[in-house]
Amino acid sequence: MEIAVNKNGTELTLSPAGRIDTSTAPQVKEAVNKNISGVTSLTFDFKKLNYLSSAGLRVLLSTQKIMNKQGDMKIININEDIMEIFEMTGLCDVFHFE
C-alpha cells in the first residue's frame, strides 16, 4: 500500500492507494500519527482506494475522535462500493463526505 501525504500548514491530505485492511491499517494509523500534530483540517482522499475493511474503519473512527478536538475531517472521492460499507455500518452520519 502507498499513502501519499500532503501537509500544507494546518491542512493535511492523506491519499491511500489500494486496500486498507488488517495488514495495511497500521500503515494508515502511522501516517496519521506522524502528521496530525497541529492539523485543523484533515482530508482522506479515497480516489485510489478500492477496499476498506473493519480495521480501516477503526483507524478512521479513532482519527475522527482526534479531529473532533482539533478541527475537522472529511473523506473525498469515495467510490460506490466503499460508500456502501459506510451505509451498511451506519457510519454515514459519523463522517463528512464530499
Side-chain angles (χ1 to χ4, degrees):
M1 153 173 268
E2 293 180 27
I3 305 169
V5 177
N6 183 1
K7 191 168 185 181
N8 185 10
T10 61
E11 296 181 3
L12 173 64
T13 300
L14 297 174
S15 305
R19 302 168 54 95
I20 301 177
D21 56 23
T22 304
S23 63
T24 59
Q27 291 174 267
V28 178
K29 185 66 176 168
E30 181 181 342
V32 168
N33 290 341
K34 286 172 90 173
N35 294 287
I36 202 164
S37 180
V39 169
T40 59
S41 178
L42 173 60
T43 301
F44 279 96
D45 186 347
F46 282 1
K47 185 176 187 175
K48 295 182 180 179
L49 190 71
N50 54 38
Y51 179 78
L52 180 68
S53 75
S54 60
L57 289 174
R58 282 192 298 277
V59 171
L60 292 174
L61 283 168
S62 65
T63 304
Q64 181 66 64
K65 286 181 183 179
I66 294 168
M67 290 309 298
N68 284 343
K69 296 175 185 172
Q70 67 186 57
D72 36 83
M73 178 177 126
K74 64 183 173 183
I75 301 171
I76 63 171
N77 297 320
I78 190 166
N79 71 38
E80 286 182 22
D81 292 336
I82 294 176
M83 190 64 195
E84 189 174 328
I85 294 167
F86 286 100
E87 291 168 354
M88 288 175 28
T89 57
L91 294 174
C92 286
D93 298 332
V94 174
F95 300 103
H96 175 76
F97 302 97
E98 287 185 9

